[in-house]
């Protein structure tokens, strides 16, 4: 898929942050291979926090990196007739 020549790419997905960092890197590499070219470098960005058990730091760092690439809408913003989660 990465070999397709295109002017722009769009990725629609559910919740990649609930999976693992390599799956997230693969999605980002598809979208922006010049920025997210190396999975080893991507892992390095989070390795120190993960080793020290600072999971909240890893999540905060991920949110900061991903914010420019995400359009996140909540159910309440899209459809108000749906019942809340139980």
């Amino acid at each position: 898929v990465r070999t397709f020549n295109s002017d722009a790419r769009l990725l629609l997905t559910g919740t990649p942050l609930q999976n693992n960092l390599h799956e997230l890197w693969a999605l980002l590499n598809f979208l922006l291979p010049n920025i997210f070219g190396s999975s080893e470098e991507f892992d390095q960005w989070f390795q120190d926090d993960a080793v020290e058990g600072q999971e909240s730091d890893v999540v905060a760092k991920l949110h900061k990196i991903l914010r420019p690439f995400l359009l996140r809408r909540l159910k309440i913003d899209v459809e108000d007739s749906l019942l809340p989660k139980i």
Side-chain angles (χ1 to χ4, degrees), residues 2 13 21-23 25 29 41 43 47 50 55 57 59 65 72 80 83-84:
R2 288 185 188 109
T13 184
L21 286 178
H22 281 285
E23 289 182 32
W25 171 81
N29 176 258
E41 185 177 319
D43 288 343
Q47 184 175 7
E55 187 173 311
D57 290 345
V59 172
I65 290 169
R72 181 164 187 233
D80 59 1
L83 298 175

Side-chain angles (χ1 to χ4, degrees), residues 2-3 8 13 31-32 35 38-39 68:
R2 288 185 188 109
T3 61
T13 184
L31 290 174
L32 299 163
I35 296 173
S38 164
S39 65

Side-chain angles (χ1 to χ4, degrees), residues 49-80:
D49 294 329
V51 169
E52 296 174 14
Q54 302 294 324
E55 187 173 311
S56 62
D57 290 345
V58 171
V59 172
K61 197 180 286 187
L62 279 169
H63 284 170
K64 187 176 181 178
I65 290 169
L66 296 175
R67 184 165 286 121
F69 305 107
L70 294 178
L71 170 62
R72 181 164 187 233
R73 300 188 316 175
L74 302 176
K75 179 172 56 174
I76 192 85
D77 298 331
V78 178
E79 179 58 57
D80 59 1

